[in-house]
Amino acid sequence: MPGEDIRETVKMVLGLLTDLPHLPELPARGPGADLTGRSAGMLVDLYADVQPSGWRFVDRPGRDHRRARSYLGQDLDALEEFTQGYTGPLKIQVAGPWTLAATIELTYGDKALADPGACRDLAVSLAEGIRLHVTEVARRIPGADLVLQLDEPSLPGVIAGDVPTASGFGRLRAVDKAVVRDTLRDVIAGAGAPTIVHCCAPGTPITLLRQAGAAGVSLDFSLLQRSQDESIGEAVEAGFRFFAGVVPALAPEGDASEVKPGVGVRPLSDPPGTVRSVGTLWNRLGFPPESLAEAVVVTPTCGLAGASPAHARAALSHSVAAGRVLRDDPEGAM
């Protein structure tokens, strides 16, 4: 989410997303609030700090590690304060093991992804950190049915051997799909909560994620290819959930109205039009309209943290309205 005020953001999320609220992330606050830093702060017995080239493992906790822990503590305090008596689903987000391996450098050398042993150690540390995080959130909000989101935007690049080296002049070796799957399976199994995997890059490996034990996938719906129809169909039949990014996270370029006080944002598409691409896929795969609401959650696309606060609010509200179309009038999406 955009902005730096976690209390106001938590109140907004809880007010708008009553069926599936989440613990917001506010990367505008700086190192330690970003995707990599926030999750690195959850690692057990591993520490990372920001260097000129980015996040790097260090021997002992430093300023950036402590800042990440502090931000997370503040965020949990705000979430606990505004969820008194809450019961129902609640989503929390953590970077996955392969995205962390692709973005954090070793103390002396390349990214952790270049060292299979470092990848194993990172995955074990992350699994324990996630377990502790889930336990802490459950303690603070005992009525919540927690859902874990593993953010893995680097996953297709890891599998394809397309992750740049630390120097940027080369590419790191591809990781075998079986190793990727088994590592994800271990992290998901230890989480203690149903897990969806978020990947906003082309080529999201849907079948691999299902085999790893994920309950669903979150993706940019516009990046799906017809070649993925078979894997999507098999996943839906197996009870897999799709968090479909169909609501634009950013306002159209040059839309000055979104920052003018009292004017608001340029209207988004009508809710049925927003989910029509999902309905078209459903029709192509031969699934009945009434199964849409059970299998699909409507979300914004990636990049919401770069939107204006007004557009972020509008995108969340529109996601709710579009999701209701799938529930109340699914044939209107077909």
Side-chain angles (χ1 to χ4, degrees):
M1 296 290 291
E4 301 182 29
D5 189 331
I6 187 60
R7 289 170 54 83
E8 288 302 314
T9 306
V10 166
K11 285 196 292 185
M12 180 179 71
V13 166
L14 290 170
L16 294 176
L17 306 179
T18 55
D19 292 327
L20 182 58
H22 62 270
L23 174 64
E25 297 177 355
L26 303 180
R29 292 178 293 186
D34 59 298
L35 173 65
T36 298
R38 184 180 184 87
S39 302
M42 297 183 191
L43 296 174
V44 175
D45 296 330
L46 288 177
Y47 314 103
D49 259 12
V50 176
Q51 306 294 323
S53 58
W55 285 93
R56 179 179 295 175
F57 285 116
V58 292
D59 294 332
R60 58 184 60 86
R63 178 185 60 184
D64 298 315
H65 174 86
R66 291 190 292 270
R67 183 186 291 121
R69 297 295 303 173
S70 176
Y71 281 144
L72 181 59
Q74 294 170 29
D75 296 355
L76 290 175
D77 287 344
L79 186 68
E80 182 179 12
E81 177 182 353
F82 295 114
T83 53
Q84 294 296 313
Y86 174 79
T87 58
L90 176 68
K91 184 167 71 70
I92 54 179
Q93 301 85 230
V94 182
W98 293 110
T99 291
L100 288 182
T103 53
I104 304 179
E105 297 177 7
L106 299 172
T107 305
Y108 302 104
D110 214 318
K111 295 177 180 177
L113 186 62
D115 185 332
C119 290
R120 288 192 293 271
D121 292 343
L122 173 57
V124 171
S125 175
L126 179 64
E128 178 62 9
I130 290 174
R131 186 189 68 79
L132 293 173
H133 182 50
V134 168
T135 300
E136 174 67 7
V137 178
R139 181 189 67 80
R140 288 173 177 257
I141 311 165
D145 297 320
L146 294 181
V147 176
L148 172 68
Q149 175 176 308
L150 282 183
D151 287 314
E152 283 283 20
S154 298
L155 192 59
V158 168
I159 294 172
D162 198 34
V163 175
T165 58
S167 67
F169 294 114
R171 292 289 184 272
L172 296 174
R173 62 171 183 82
V175 180
D176 185 85
K177 286 185 177 181
V179 175
V180 172
R181 179 199 62 212
D182 292 347
T183 299
L184 285 171
R185 179 186 291 147
D186 290 343
V187 173
I188 290 171
T195 302
I196 63 168
V197 178
H198 171 72
C199 182
C200 51
T204 299
I206 295 170
T207 299
L208 182 149
L209 297 178
R210 184 163 59 88
Q211 293 171 345
V217 62
S218 171
L219 39 69
D220 185 331
F221 208 76
S222 69
L223 298 179
L224 289 176
Q225 303 293 321
R226 282 206 175 220
S227 59
Q228 295 175 280
D229 278 9
E230 182 176 353
S231 62
I232 294 171
E234 292 174 349
V236 171
E237 289 176 344
F240 207 61
R241 302 294 190 266
F242 285 84
F243 286 56
V246 292
V247 178
L250 299 175
E253 189 173 347
D255 183 5
S257 69
E258 69 165 325
V259 296
K260 290 182 180 179
V263 175
V265 299
R266 180 181 297 172
L268 293 160
S269 170
D270 64 295
T274 295
V275 292
R276 191 143 294 133
S277 59
V278 183
T280 298
L281 172 64
W282 231 243
N283 189 51
R284 190 166 73 237
L285 294 177
F287 292 120
E290 55 269 21
S291 67
L292 276 166
E294 182 179 352
V296 178
V297 176
V298 177
T299 78
T301 58
C302 286
L304 202 61
S308 71
H311 182 79
R313 178 184 290 273
L316 293 184
S317 297
H318 192 81
S319 296
V320 173
R324 286 175 178 156
V325 171
L326 300 185
R327 183 191 66 190
D328 299 335
D329 183 25
E331 292 187 358
M334 304 294 275

